[in-house]
Structures are given as C-alpha cells and as structure tokens.
Amino acid sequence: MSRKEAYSPPALPTSTSAFGPSLSSDAASGPITQYLCGECNAKVQLKKGDPIRCKECGHRVLYKERTKR
C-alpha cells in the first residue's frame, strides 16, 4: 500500500487574497452602521464583514436603527 500525504491548503501571499489584491483597511471596512440588540437594547456599531453579534450580551438578533430624515 502507498502512504498518502496529508492535505495542506495552498498558501496565499498576505498582500493578495483569492479575490485579487487587498484594499486598504479604511476602504474595505466601509461605513459604520448602527444597530440595536434585540435582547439587551444596546447600541452596536458594525462595519462590513463584522460578525452579526451584540458586543455586550452575544445575542445575534440586531435591528437596524431608523434613519433620521
């Protein structure tokens, strides 16, 4: 029998990702959006890519605040 090698995922350079060259952190993060936690009513600020979770209690139901026009 032949012995198989263990799988090792391909390494990507830190400056690029699978979707092309990475952008600066300010451009990739985008605007900050305000949410309210459904459990503890804490105000949560999230950026694009942040996990959808309350930073106070860990609850995962967040409501987007209404815009003030």
Side-chain angles (χ1 to χ4, degrees):
M1 281 199 213
S2 66
R3 184 166 260 197
K4 292 185 179 181
E5 293 181 21
Y7 173 75
S8 61
L12 293 175
T14 58
S15 63
T16 61
S17 67
F19 302 107
S22 63
L23 301 173
S24 67
S25 62
D26 294 334
S29 64
I32 297 174
T33 309
Q34 292 277 348
Y35 293 93
L36 289 174
C37 175
E39 184 74 17
C40 67
N41 291 328
K43 289 188 177 183
V44 181
Q45 295 181 347
L46 295 179
K47 293 182 249 177
K48 183 178 180 181
D50 285 350
I52 302 169
R53 188 168 288 247
C54 177
K55 293 178 171 113
E56 301 294 324
C57 68
H59 196 67
R60 296 185 66 185
V61 176
L62 300 176
Y63 298 101
K64 190 172 183 179
E65 287 188 333
R66 292 188 145 210
T67 57
K68 296 165 177 76
R69 293 194 230 184

